[in-house]
Amino acid sequence: MISGDGSRAAARAASQRQLALYALLMDWDLRELRFFVTAADAGSFTEAAAQLFVSQAAVSRTIAGLEKSVGERLLRRLPRGCELTSTGQQVLPQARRVLAEAARFTEFLASRHGVLRLGYAWAALGQHTTPLQREWAQGHAETTLELVRHNSPTAGLAEGLCDVAIVRRAVDEKRFDSLVVGLERRLVAFASDDPQWSRRRQVSMAEIADRTVVIDPRVGTTSGELWTGTDHQPRFIRSTDVDGWLDIIAAGRGVGTTAEATAHHHPRPGVTYRRIKDGPRIPVALAWWRDHRPHGLGDLIDAVTRLYATA
């Protein structure tokens, strides 16, 4: 009979053996996987050596290293070639997946300077978006400007989805650098059949305060601070993105305030945009990681600033 202490000691020993085996199995590299897959596909060490432009001895030695890490034979040597063992048949599809992922990673690294990813949350640059894309394509054949929409406070920058982000609210200065490149008028959005505003050309902040206002608190530019110092504030309801925001407004459940870029980027049947005569302008900034200045950033800043200046 094994005592309780003995059982625990045996369990610990088994666990240590498993950890040691795991560490051993991790001791492989991409070169070994590539040689193994090539030999398995060719069915011959000699043919694999010819395809890899190395000696047959190098193929044999490299695959033997992988087999040592795995702890079992992967290829059975035959007089006229080789064939997969049962373990090799299990390892081969996994090795293919790893090599495919490595190839995709290599392609990603190689294309990093060939693409400048510009993130935005609700609207990119409004009426300036298309001119920027066309001008960039004409003047920067070596770098593609790729727009990425992501509904987060940094428009995908913090998530690693873009290199530069268009933001209309402050970012964390400890993490990001930013530069204001333009100003946009603030507009009100309301249902097109609104009985009071349907014929109006502009409204005031005080009039909006009498309504229910739809906001996106994560990325939007509307909050109670816009009515600080006034007699009262509007009632707020939340949305999660621009599509939900427009749906609520079109249904007549509320109105919204937004940058003029939204009107250009998201026209919607049933929703009317009008100028807010006393609405504060909205700064438009480009933001990027403080420790990484993306390739092409200077040209992008110049291009966007010029578009806003000439509007």
Side-chain angles (χ1 to χ4, degrees), residues 36 45 60 63-64 66-68 70-77 83-89 91:
F36 163 61
F45 279 50
S60 181
I63 294 176
L66 178 61
E67 290 175 327
K68 181 179 179 181
V70 174
E72 296 182 46
R73 285 280 188 181
L74 302 176
L75 290 169
R76 185 177 296 109
R77 281 66 169 171
E83 65 179 11
L84 289 165
T85 65
S86 59
T87 300
Q89 291 175 349
V91 171

Side-chain angles (χ1 to χ4, degrees), residues 15 109-110 219 244 281:
S15 177
L109 292 179
V219 304
R281 295 223 169 194

Side-chain angles (χ1 to χ4, degrees), residues 42 52 68 72 92 102 137 143 176 180 189 197 202 211 223 254 260:
L52 295 165
K68 181 179 179 181
E72 296 182 46
L92 181 60
T143 305
F176 309 107
V180 174
W197 290 359
Q202 60 183 14
R211 299 293 192 98
S223 70
E260 60 184 303

Side-chain angles (χ1 to χ4, degrees), residues 108-116 136 140-145 295:
F108 163 75
L109 292 179
S111 65
R112 284 290 293 153
H113 290 306
V115 177
L116 181 62
W136 188 274
H140 300 80
E142 76 287 354
T143 305
T144 300
L145 184 65
H295 177 74

Side-chain angles (χ1 to χ4, degrees), residues 1 55 67 87 105 150 196-197 204 208 229 241 243 246 259-260 291 300 306:
M1 180 179 294
S55 67
E67 290 175 327
T87 300
F105 182 63
H150 185 72
Q196 298 179 24
W197 290 359
S204 68
I208 295 171
D241 57 27
D243 293 314
L246 288 167
E260 60 184 303
D291 60 356
L300 180 64
R306 185 173 59 255

Side-chain angles (χ1 to χ4, degrees), residues 147-168:
L147 266 61
V148 179
R149 179 181 168 187
H150 185 72
N151 200 56
S152 77
T154 62
L157 187 61
E159 295 82 1
L161 300 177
C162 63
D163 307 298
V164 188
I166 301 165
V167 294
R168 292 178 173 83

